Amino acid sequence: MISPPIQKVIAIEEHFWIPQLRETYTGLDLETAPAFVSRLEDYGSVRIREMDEAGIDIQVLSHAAPAGQKLAVDESIRLSRKANDVLSDIISVNPARFAGFAALPTPDPNAAADELERTVSKYGFKGAMLHGVSAGDRFLDEKQFWVIFERAEALDVPIYLHPATPPTAIVETYFKDYPEMSRAGWGFTMDTATQVYRLIMSGVFDRYPKLKFIIGHLGESIPFSLWRSDRVLSRFGKVKHRFRDYFCNNFYITTSSNFSQAGLICSVMEIGVDRILFAVDWPFMSNTDGRSFIENALISSDDKQKILGLNAQRLLRM
Ligand code: MN
């Protein structure tokens, strides 16, 4: 049963989209998923009803992947800005129920840093969400993107690194025979985890030690791999600290779309309960399933309160 909330319940990987960006997405079969489409384009009524059914007080909203990251520079800047303006309007209508992460036009990293600053300072956004590789299959650890991280550290807001379809060459090599593996079943996890490893090995956290990332899906399998990666990768002396230290000091993880009790216990043991935040991944997962996953977890009520809202309140200053 759902216990009475002491703190506000905050879910932080909850999506919407704008039709102008959705129309640029290739390879989407929208006909087969009318429930997702209508919910992503619902900015209030169904969304709030399903939040209420699960006792979720606040959704921190983000545009569904890959936002404007695959577009040419001018279109990426224009449509990312449009998505953020719409998000600001959604929040203004229901400021007690919604907050937001910005979409950033990463094909122009300087414009992306400026858009982060604009949306945080003008709209009160809580940070930004980035989705996988950018146009041209560029990885985020490339130095051209560090201006975004420098700005995030200066603004003291986190970057939520969300999956998107892996680079074309990876999809071709690993998934050509099994295309269904390239997305949420495995490819998203593999791609996001690899980007996290690349960021850590790049030294970006030595340059910007207060930089904070959030990753979903109970840490994209990294908590389970952390002991071995730490042992092997910490031998390579290009960065100041051990691999584990970067993961446990610069990253937060969420429960989005991975309602595994065994995975949660592993995550609590590896990264600690103070760095685990509640997320559902609505509308792709059900709010009530996400909420009962935490209610049924074999952790203390105090730890449940941290995951359901206290950690988000602190990290996102809500
Ligand atoms: Mn998601």
Side-chain angles (χ1 to χ4, degrees):
M1 294 310 298
I2 289 176
S3 50
I6 300 164
Q7 294 293 328
K8 281 194 174 11
V9 173
I10 305 171
I12 75 160
E13 188 197 307
E14 320 308 321
H15 300 300
F16 77 104
W17 68 18
I18 60 170
Q20 298 93 327
L21 261 174
R22 180 246 298 152
E23 285 161 10
T24 70
Y25 291 3
T26 52
L28 274 189
D29 182 8
L30 299 176
E31 307 289 304
T32 63
F36 292 159
V37 174
S38 65
R39 279 171 172 74
L40 286 164
E41 291 174 14
D42 176 290
Y43 301 158
S45 56
V46 175
R47 186 177 291 271
I48 287 176
R49 190 184 75 222
E50 295 193 6
M51 289 164 69
D52 289 343
E53 284 168 5
I56 293 172
D57 296 295
I58 301 172
Q59 281 188 338
V60 183
L61 298 169
S62 47
H63 198 281
Q69 287 184 217
K70 308 281 189 182
L71 303 175
V73 166
D74 287 353
E75 199 181 19
S76 180
I77 293 172
R78 182 173 63 81
L79 289 179
S80 301
R81 186 176 262 262
K82 172 75 181 168
N84 293 329
D85 291 347
V86 170
L87 177 51
S88 170
D89 290 342
I90 296 171
I91 296 167
S92 314
V93 173
N94 282 295
R97 305 304 301 273
F98 298 129
F101 287 126
L104 300 184
T106 53
D108 182 338
N110 284 303
D114 289 345
E115 182 64 0
L116 175 63
E117 181 158 351
R118 182 182 81 94
T119 53
V120 169
S121 56
K122 183 176 173 193
Y123 294 150
F125 284 6
K126 305 303 180 187
M129 178 172 282
L130 297 181
H131 303 273
V133 291
S134 296
D137 287 344
R138 313 315 303 184
F139 289 114
L140 282 170
D141 58 285
E142 288 183 16
K143 287 255 165 65
Q144 61 164 323
F145 297 113
W146 287 26
V147 62
I148 302 171
F149 308 140
E150 179 181 22
R151 200 73 61 91
E153 187 192 50
L155 293 163
D156 194 23
V157 293
I159 305 254
Y160 199 128
L161 180 54
H162 184 274
T165 307
T168 311
I170 298 295
V171 172
E172 176 70 15
T173 304
Y174 275 73
F175 304 127
K176 188 176 62 180
D177 301 324
Y178 307 97
E180 63 277 15
M181 281 175 60
S182 70
R183 297 176 63 82
W186 181 240
F188 287 178
T189 295
M190 183 180 119
D191 183 60
T192 310
T194 302
Q195 291 230 51
V196 168
Y197 277 58
R198 291 181 61 108
L199 283 162
I200 290 174
M201 299 304 280
S202 75
V204 72
F205 300 108
D206 291 338
R207 176 82 74 84
Y208 309 112
K210 294 199 163 60
L211 177 60
K212 293 170 283 198
F213 272 85
I214 305 168
I215 53 175
H217 315 109
L218 287 177
E220 308 287 6
S221 82
I222 298 173
F224 194 84
S225 305
L226 190 57
W227 187 93
R228 189 160 189 247
S229 295
D230 179 67
R231 182 170 181 277
V232 175
L233 295 176
S234 298
R235 286 183 212 147
F236 298 92
K238 292 182 189 149
V239 291
K240 285 184 188 164
H241 305 291
R242 293 189 64 87
F243 186 86
R244 164 183 293 279
D245 296 333
Y246 294 106
F247 188 68
C248 293
N249 292 324
N250 294 96
F251 286 82
Y252 294 79
I253 70 176
T254 79
T255 61
S256 64
S257 276
N258 194 349
F259 304 152
S260 156
Q261 297 297 354
L264 178 65
I265 295 302
C266 175
S267 300
V268 168
M269 293 183 76
E270 288 292 4
I271 197 169
V273 73
D274 291 337
R275 286 182 175 261
I276 303 174
L277 287 74
F278 181 58
V280 173
D281 203 7
W282 194 90
F284 305 107
M285 298 291 278
S286 121
N287 285 341
T288 49
D289 287 355
R291 182 72 198 273
S292 44
F293 164 60
I294 300 299
E295 294 303 326
N296 294 329
L298 294 174
I299 57 177
S300 71
S301 339
D302 283 354
D303 286 351
K304 289 177 188 174
Q305 293 297 328
K306 286 181 174 181
I307 292 173
L308 285 171
L310 285 175
N311 292 341
Q313 272 187 331
R314 195 180 69 245
L315 176 63
L316 305 178
R317 290 195 291 274
M318 298 173 71

